[in-house]
Amino acid sequence: MYLCTLMRRLYTLLILWLSVLTMSAQMVDPVHFTSQLKELPNGEAEIIFSAKIDAGWHVYSTDLKDGPIAASFNVVKMEGAEKVGKLKPRGNEQKVFDKLFDMEVRYFEHNATFVQKIKFTKEKYAIDCYLEYGACNDEMCMPPSSVTFKKEGTAKLPESEKAEEKKEEKVEQPKDTATTDTISNAQRSTLNTQLPTDLWQPVTKELQGFSDTPTDHSLWYIFLAGLLGGFLALLTPCVWPIIPMTVSFFLKRNKERSKAIREAFTYGLSIIIIYVALGLLVTALFGANALNALSTNAWFNIFFALLLIVFAASFFGAFELTLPSSWSNKIDQKSDRTTGLLSIFLMAFTLVLVSFSCTGPIIGFLLVAVSTQGNILGPTLGMLGFSIGLAIPFAFFALFPSLLKTMPKSGGWMNTIKVVLGFIELAFALKFLSVADLAYGWRLLDREVFLSIWIALFGLLGAYLMGWLRFPHDEPEHRTNVPLFFLGLLSFAFTIYMIPGLWGAPLKAISAFTPPMYTQDYKIVQTTVVEAPFKDYEQGMAFAREQQKPVIIDFTGFGCVNCRKMEAAVWTDEEVARRLTQDYVLISLYVDDKTPLPQPMEVEVNGQKRTLRTIGDKWSHLQATKFGANTQPFYVLLDAQGKPLGPSRSYNEDIQEYLQWLDNGLNQSKTSTNNH
């Protein structure tokens, strides 16, 4: 009864907690600016913009020509004062060479300060200005954003300048200022009324209403990947020997059937609680955003790659990695001396400790891989799936301890599994090194170099499975058998499949692991990136209505690094390019386009007025108000009336998923057309 009540409470809390976490919006606000005016001697002052930047994000510095969005100072009105010099950045400025822009970029992390010096020319002043800036993380970018500074007051001028001001007081100001402002406001109103309001109607709820969103799909994928990892962990050399320990422990306990079921259930639940708590602890220590930042941090990826190489060397027989025996022995003794639920929990804790040297790489890889979710839900679901996969067999053994007699003993087959795991860990280690290589632009692991090493690794794995290669801990008579023969055949087939990739073949099955296509130095067939025929929303939608075609909106930016990565890695695919050019009307909207609008537009967002001055401002406003998003790259499928045909999509270089997303939109478009 106690366990049933406990389980009901746990499930209730879990459901409530997951429902809260899944209500994540696509609007992000990673940079928080404050502004102030600091008066200086001699009638001068500084307008200071100070920023707090969320972990994983960075704000670009000033004077970045032909690159990402640089910080800039802009004046709307400045009466009684004038600028002195340029906008100056202050703080710990980072400098990195960006190969996509082919230039050195400068940015700030955590904190940033920008200062514009001014000089007062009159005692009475009125200042209306704003700082424009760009912010990105490793997956997305914000549109050009601004922070406004407005102030009116009285300045302390030197006596010499006060005298000059009195001479100028008799000069009359133009009387048509109010008229000019009135005309501008009228023109703004006219411009607003001319917008096709049906195309600008918000569709945020419709986007959220699609059940098969990328987030939902990826969360299921994370859970199932964790579940598979838990089952695979059972076969590792650190976990398998714990099965006899488990059986021995439960054979000593009460033989009552009802109690045996209850204790086996408690044992499995304890394993799940410990592993999920471990995932929550790691996420809590680093923070969900920090974990995401770590997953794309160059030095962290290098560390994790080296860790996997060390584990691989251990599996190859170079040395043994074990936790201090005193740790597990003390826990094991405690579990023998303690009775009741606590002893079962301690037994589960023993399992976790003893198995960690083998499950650690699986857990670490899982946590890093899912950290791009940006919240605590991904790591938790991954650990939940992993723990369930590991707990089910052990709960089964605890319930039926006599089944141990039918289980195979550790031996040569266990060494084979260790070696296979070693090859796989080396392959994954290369993926982590590739992330660091791309982040710093070293170009040491270009696509063909990466593939060459993978071809060698899986070729050697096939040779080992065929019995042609031996390691120190293998038995002298190590040779293949029928199951190993077929596994070796698969490894050789995979090796042959990768070889055309050395000359530019797309290798879609492993495109999520290999470096992007643009790092390939030699390609037999040169591919070009699709160019959008429309860069204006209304014009593109008008053409789509005329042609009765669905639309793909690409919210992008000239300074968006990940937009270029998506175009180079995904849009160059032949099937993707065909759909974009033939089946859809492609509209690319650049949120950092500095072309001035014919007249500024006054809009209201969340009760606050905002002035749209450029074309980029207009598209940024469209993205926020219609789709509830403000990061790039951002892709959405619409019908000719501006209604969504499926979930939105952002940075993800999986070509097959992108194709499926496009095809689902086409099917939805055909269904909607037939219904009408």
Side-chain angles (χ1 to χ4, degrees):
M1 182 63 69
Y2 166 76
L3 287 173
C4 291
T5 303
L6 177 62
M7 281 302 298
R8 280 198 299 269
R9 291 179 178 176
L10 284 174
Y11 283 132
T12 302
L13 288 173
L14 183 61
I15 291 171
L16 289 173
W17 178 59
L18 293 181
S19 65
V20 171
L21 287 176
T22 51
M23 295 179 185
S24 56
Q26 296 186 34
M27 295 291 288
V28 297
D29 185 21
V31 184
H32 314 279
F33 263 102
T34 59
S35 58
Q36 62 173 321
L37 182 71
K38 180 181 178 182
E39 294 196 24
L40 303 173
N42 300 321
E44 295 182 331
E46 290 180 338
I47 302 175
I48 303 174
F49 301 92
S50 302
K52 296 289 185 182
I53 309 168
D54 290 352
W57 288 81
H58 55 262
V59 170
Y60 288 104
S61 188
T62 58
D63 299 324
L64 298 176
K65 303 295 184 183
D66 301 321
I69 303 165
S72 62
F73 182 78
N74 303 271
V75 176
V76 178
K77 179 177 71 173
M78 187 174 287
E79 297 177 355
E82 60 184 19
K83 292 196 321 179
V84 178
K86 294 183 177 181
L87 182 71
K88 300 293 184 183
R90 293 178 183 172
N92 185 19
E93 189 178 67
Q94 307 289 322
K95 295 181 180 179
V96 176
F97 185 83
D98 193 307
K99 60 181 180 299
L100 287 179
F101 291 115
D102 194 28
M103 61 178 290
E104 183 181 73
V105 298
R106 295 172 286 108
Y107 57 80
F108 296 91
E109 296 177 335
H110 308 301
N111 298 282
T113 302
F114 298 96
V115 179
Q116 176 62 57
K117 193 173 183 180
I118 63 172
K119 180 179 181 181
F120 294 115
T121 58
K122 297 180 180 179
E123 280 191 302
K124 299 290 185 179
Y125 65 85
I127 299 173
D128 183 359
C129 59
Y130 64 94
L131 173 78
E132 187 176 61
Y133 64 93
C136 293
N137 65 9
D138 291 320
E139 288 193 354
M140 60 187 72
C141 289
M142 296 278 290
S145 304
S146 61
V147 52
T148 301
F149 176 80
K150 294 182 179 181
K151 190 170 183 180
E152 296 181 0
T154 303
K156 296 180 180 179
L157 294 179
E159 293 299 327
S160 58
E161 294 190 12
K162 285 184 180 181
E164 289 294 327
E165 182 185 356
K166 289 179 180 179
K167 294 179 182 179
E168 297 175 0
E169 282 180 353
K170 296 181 181 180
V171 179
E172 293 185 0
Q173 298 296 326
K175 295 182 179 181
D176 59 347
T177 304
T179 306
T180 303
D181 292 339
T182 304
I183 293 172
S184 296
N185 290 331
Q187 289 171 331
R188 292 170 189 170
S189 300
T190 303
L191 183 58
N192 278 321
T193 56
Q194 289 175 349
L195 289 174
T197 54
D198 58 328
L199 294 178
W200 283 64
Q201 289 297 320
V203 293
T204 307
K205 291 183 179 180
E206 288 90 332
L207 284 175
Q208 294 174 348
F210 287 96
S211 58
D212 188 24
T213 61
T215 300
D216 292 337
H217 172 74
S218 61
L219 289 177
W220 273 110
Y221 176 80
I222 289 168
F223 177 80
L224 293 176
L227 188 68
L228 178 62
F231 286 131
L232 290 177
L234 181 69
L235 301 176
T236 59
C238 308
V239 177
W240 189 267
I242 305 176
I243 296 176
M245 185 193 307
T246 298
V247 173
S248 174
F249 176 81
F250 283 98
L251 279 174
K252 301 174 187 176
R253 304 186 71 83
N254 200 303
K255 301 297 190 294
E256 294 180 11
R257 184 66 176 170
S258 60
K259 187 174 182 180
I261 294 174
R262 188 165 63 247
E263 290 187 342
F265 183 79
T266 304
Y267 184 53
L269 182 62
S270 299
I271 296 172
I272 293 172
I273 290 174
I274 292 171
Y275 270 110
V276 171
L278 178 64
L280 288 172
L281 178 63
V282 171
T283 309
L285 288 176
F286 293 105
N289 288 330
L291 193 62
N292 179 28
L294 280 177
S295 70
T296 51
N297 177 273
W299 298 111
F300 179 80
N301 277 276
I302 292 173
F303 168 77
F304 207 81
L306 293 176
L307 185 65
L308 287 176
I309 292 172
V310 169
F311 276 104
S314 174
F315 287 161
F316 288 153
F319 48 83
E320 288 292 330
L321 281 176
T322 57
L323 288 173
S325 58
S326 58
W327 292 12
S328 55
N329 289 338
K330 287 181 181 179
I331 297 293
D332 194 26
Q333 292 171 7
K334 288 285 185 182
S335 62
D336 285 336
R337 295 173 187 171
T338 312
T339 59
L341 296 177
L342 180 59
S343 64
I344 298 174
F345 183 83
L346 289 172
M347 182 62 199
F349 198 70
T350 303
L351 164 67
V352 175
L353 275 181
V354 174
S355 65
F356 190 77
S357 58
C358 285
T359 61
I362 301 175
I363 294 169
F365 183 79
L366 177 66
L367 288 176
V368 171
V370 306
S371 60
T372 54
Q373 290 290 312
N375 57 48
I376 201 173
L377 186 58
T380 304
L381 279 180
M383 293 302 292
L384 179 65
F386 178 86
S387 59
I388 290 175
L390 186 62
I392 288 175
F394 276 96
F396 192 76
F397 289 129
L399 185 60
F400 304 105
S402 59
L403 289 177
L404 177 65
K405 297 177 182 178
T406 64
M407 300 298 296
K409 301 295 185 291
S410 299
W413 68 274
M414 184 64 71
N415 288 335
T416 301
I417 289 178
K418 290 172 70 173
V419 172
V420 171
L421 285 175
F423 277 108
I424 293 174
E425 290 196 343
L426 281 180
F428 279 128
L430 201 66
K431 170 61 178 173
F432 287 104
L433 287 175
S434 174
V435 173
D437 182 67
L438 290 170
Y440 276 80
W442 295 329
R443 296 300 296 268
L444 299 175
L445 278 177
D446 285 353
R447 188 171 182 269
E448 61 267 32
V449 176
F450 183 98
L451 287 173
S452 298
I453 299 175
W454 265 37
I455 289 169
L457 280 175
F458 285 96
L460 289 172
L461 174 58
Y464 176 80
L465 292 171
M466 290 296 185
W468 307 336
L469 181 68
R470 285 195 312 173
F471 284 89
H473 52 38
D474 286 321
E475 298 173 354
E477 62 275 10
H478 169 70
R479 59 186 180 184
T480 193
N481 52 39
V482 174
L484 293 182
F485 171 80
F486 283 107
L487 288 175
L489 188 64
L490 285 175
S491 185
F492 280 131
F494 182 57
T495 302
I496 295 171
Y497 166 79
M498 289 188 289
I499 291 175
L502 297 175
W503 291 274
L507 305 182
K508 296 177 182 178
I510 58 172
S511 60
F513 296 94
T514 59
M517 186 68 76
Y518 66 78
T519 65
Q520 183 95 18
D521 290 329
Y522 177 71
K523 288 177 280 190
I524 293 179
V525 179
Q526 296 295 325
T527 55
T528 57
V529 176
V530 175
E531 287 286 340
F534 295 96
K535 293 182 173 61
D536 181 274
Y537 176 58
E538 288 83 11
Q539 291 177 4
M541 293 301 296
F543 181 81
R545 285 183 175 181
E546 179 184 328
Q547 299 293 321
Q548 285 300 302
K549 276 189 172 185
V551 176
I552 174 171
I553 305 292
D554 163 36
F555 285 99
T556 183
F558 298 114
C560 175
V561 175
N562 289 304
C563 301
R564 303 294 86 78
K565 288 182 180 179
M566 281 292 294
E567 292 161 6
V570 179
W571 285 14
T572 52
D573 178 80
E574 183 178 349
E575 288 300 313
V576 172
R578 183 179 64 79
R579 286 163 176 77
L580 292 179
T581 55
Q582 298 180 17
D583 299 332
Y584 282 94
V585 175
L586 175 60
I587 306 173
S588 289
L589 304 178
Y590 288 81
V591 298
D592 55 357
D593 189 336
K594 300 297 184 183
T595 305
L597 289 169
Q599 290 293 336
M601 297 169 54
E602 290 285 348
V603 296
E604 188 170 314
V605 181
N606 298 326
Q608 294 184 347
K609 288 187 177 181
R610 181 189 173 196
T611 303
L612 309 182
R613 300 179 178 87
T614 65
I615 289 176
D617 290 344
K618 181 181 176 182
W619 303 144
S620 177
H621 179 65
L622 171 68
Q623 184 186 6
T625 55
K626 185 175 178 68
F627 304 108
N630 63 346
T631 58
Q632 295 79 43
F634 182 83
Y635 310 99
V636 64
L637 305 177
L638 304 177
D639 62 18
Q641 285 71 43
K643 301 298 182 183
L645 296 172
S648 60
R649 191 170 178 84
S650 55
Y651 178 76
N652 187 328
E653 293 185 16
D654 191 309
I655 296 175
Q656 290 304 312
E657 284 189 10
Y658 203 86
L659 281 170
Q660 184 179 0
W661 175 69
L662 291 173
D663 290 340
N664 290 341
L666 288 173
N667 294 333
Q668 182 68 25
S669 176
K670 293 175 183 177
T671 303
S672 301
T673 303
N674 293 334
N675 291 338
H676 287 90

